[in-house]
Amino acid sequence: MALRGVCVVELAGLAPGPFCGMILADFGAQVVRVDRPRAIGDVSHLSRGKRSLVLDLKRPRGAAVLRRLCAQADVLLEPFRRGVMEQLQLGPDILHRENPKLIYARLSGFGQSGRFSRLAGHDINYLALSGVLSKIGRSGENPYAPLNLLADFGGGGLMCALGIMMALFERTRSGKGQVIDASMVEGTAYLSSFLWKTQELWTQPRGQNILDGGAPFYTTYKTADGGFMAVGAIEPQFYQLLLKGLGLKSDELPKQMSMTDWPEMKKKFADVFAKKTKAEWCQIFDGTDACVTPVLTFEEAVHHDHNKERGSFITDEEQGVSPCPAPLLSHTPAVPSSKRDPFMGEHSKEILKEFGFDQEEIDQLVSDKIIESNKPKANL
């Protein structure tokens, strides 16, 4: 796999950090998740392919253990607000003295500088501060966040993984590590570069533009059985195929780009879509370039013919159903682990042995409750 031989130490956190670590593990990295004592584990359920070490970083000896791990690791992934790692004597200046090649990835909501850098927040707050949230929502309604996908996972975990990849590549030339300041606000704003560069497409209020649900040819419609169809027929040739499938004639409708007529056209399209079931509309539009597709539930997505043909979802006894890693690499594809997620502290002793701790040291760390070593519970 592409990241075979790369050692990552991931400090446990909420969704963005675990997702970043899972990406690295899926593509071959050896990821050690450092959990806090008495924590409840990975509530994000994004621990595929990782091993767990429970370590008390608030105690000096626990911090010393982490420094020894980082002295041999390629990447440290930490999810804390500004200043937390420095208070633990685990800041980049200290760790880079012991390992100049270390990639020190700092994934946080507001970044490592600025007046908000020490404040708490969540996806919706980062999305709001990036400016993107102001663009999302129906006409006449409040802005709304599209789940917690954009800032947490797109602008956060995925952008941080990209930064780690670039830093690892640069290290092959310079031999040096570096600090990655991955701010979810900035990551989300960067994802929205298209919006910033195409202001002419966003002249109308939220929800009344071509790509935000305002256009009748770029929105969703309810079907007779309560399902939904997604329509994205922007180009004129695709729009004509949409009209053909709906049984409508262009010469009997306003011009496609007549924005003042869009509300009326949406009502007309909605009336037509409501007359047939989702399956019936699929029969009409499948195999065409009308850019009309069903809005699938999770269960439907797994069983859709196209996704099955590509193997887009993984199903196994331990991990259940989950999306396969993306993108697909032809020479070094990801091979996600089929093992169950680790129990907290399940691999503590094993990990320390691999990093050069002798048995006496390990036993003393366990005895002093610096680390925890927990065996998996037998199935009942």
Side-chain angles (χ1 to χ4, degrees):
M1 290 188 280
L3 298 181
R4 184 179 61 184
V6 173
C7 176
V8 178
V9 175
E10 172 196 323
L11 303 190
L14 296 178
F19 179 60
C20 179
M22 190 183 76
I23 293 172
L24 303 177
D26 282 344
F27 283 88
Q30 297 177 350
V31 180
V32 172
R33 189 186 76 205
V34 178
D35 291 303
R36 306 174 193 177
R38 297 170 296 283
I40 58 175
D42 179 17
V43 296
S44 304
H45 300 286
L46 297 170
S47 292
R48 183 170 62 203
K50 304 176 187 178
R51 294 183 296 167
S52 170
L53 162 67
V54 172
L55 180 61
D56 190 349
L57 295 179
K58 293 184 178 181
R59 298 171 66 180
R61 287 173 62 199
V65 169
L66 188 72
R67 285 196 293 272
R68 285 181 62 177
L69 300 184
C70 290
Q72 301 177 53
D74 296 292
V75 178
L76 171 67
L77 173 59
E78 65 97 346
F80 304 124
R81 287 181 250 172
R82 173 188 175 188
V84 171
M85 292 293 280
E86 283 77 4
Q87 290 176 356
L88 297 171
Q89 298 300 304
L90 294 169
D93 291 345
I94 292 175
L95 297 190
H96 275 148
R97 281 201 298 269
E98 299 175 0
N99 181 4
K101 294 184 177 182
L102 180 69
I103 309 299
Y104 194 116
R106 316 194 77 164
L107 176 54
S108 63
F110 298 113
Q112 298 298 313
S113 61
R115 64 177 62 188
F116 279 17
S117 59
R118 298 184 190 274
L119 300 181
H122 285 291
D123 176 279
I124 193 170
N125 307 117
Y126 314 139
L127 191 59
L129 207 64
S130 74
V132 176
L133 185 57
S134 71
K135 298 292 186 182
I136 303 174
R138 292 294 184 185
S139 177
E141 298 180 5
N142 293 350
Y144 62 81
L147 308 179
N148 66 323
L149 291 174
L150 275 181
D152 275 358
F153 298 107
L158 187 60
M159 200 67 73
C160 187
L162 174 62
I164 291 170
M165 295 297 99
M166 291 188 287
L168 285 170
F169 177 73
E170 194 283 331
R171 193 179 68 176
T172 64
R173 295 181 293 191
S174 70
K176 297 179 180 179
Q178 57 184 301
V179 178
I180 299 168
D181 182 358
S183 156
M184 292 181 228
V185 173
E186 293 166 359
T188 305
Y190 192 33
L191 281 177
S192 72
S193 295
F194 170 76
L195 308 185
W196 290 87
K197 298 292 187 179
T198 57
Q199 295 288 335
E200 69 277 6
L201 296 179
W202 313 98
T203 58
Q204 301 302 308
R206 180 177 57 252
Q208 298 179 30
N209 299 278
I210 188 170
L211 296 176
D212 62 3
F217 49 83
Y218 201 89
T219 188
T220 58
Y221 292 98
K222 194 171 185 177
T223 59
D225 58 344
F228 294 91
M229 298 297 290
V231 175
I234 301 174
E235 293 82 354
Q237 66 272 27
F238 302 154
Y239 180 69
Q240 291 302 316
L241 292 174
L242 166 64
L243 297 184
K244 179 181 178 181
L246 294 176
L248 299 173
K249 296 182 179 179
S250 58
D251 57 3
E252 298 176 355
L253 295 169
K255 297 293 185 181
Q256 179 185 359
M257 293 298 175
S258 177
M259 298 180 71
T260 57
D261 294 308
W262 281 357
E264 176 188 345
M265 294 169 68
K266 287 175 75 173
K267 291 180 181 178
K268 181 178 285 289
F269 287 9
D271 289 342
V272 176
F273 271 106
K275 293 177 181 178
K276 289 180 170 42
T277 66
K278 184 163 73 173
E280 289 173 326
W281 286 119
C282 286
Q283 289 181 337
I284 291 172
F285 286 111
D286 277 4
T288 75
D289 281 340
C291 301
V292 179
T293 50
V295 178
L296 302 179
T297 64
F298 274 18
E299 183 178 358
E300 289 171 333
V302 172
H303 294 99
H304 190 274
D305 287 345
H306 174 79
N307 294 336
K308 287 168 64 178
E309 289 165 3
R310 284 185 57 82
S312 300
F313 293 88
I314 306 163
T315 303
D316 60 59
E317 293 182 3
E318 293 291 351
Q319 289 287 337
V321 179
S322 58
C324 72
L328 300 179
L329 303 184
S330 63
H331 180 56
T332 54
V335 182
S337 173
S338 59
K339 297 179 180 179
R340 58 163 173 75
D341 288 350
F343 292 104
M344 282 189 50
E346 179 178 352
H347 308 99
S348 294
K349 293 182 178 180
E350 168 188 314
I351 290 166
L352 293 186
K353 285 181 181 178
E354 292 178 7
F355 278 83
F357 289 76
D358 61 38
Q359 191 61 51
E360 183 178 352
E361 287 180 294
I362 295 172
D363 291 342
Q364 190 63 52
L365 290 168
V366 172
S367 176
D368 295 340
K369 294 183 169 44
I370 303 298
I371 70 167
E372 293 179 9
S373 180
N374 301 313
K375 296 182 179 179
K377 296 180 181 178
N379 293 329
L380 298 179

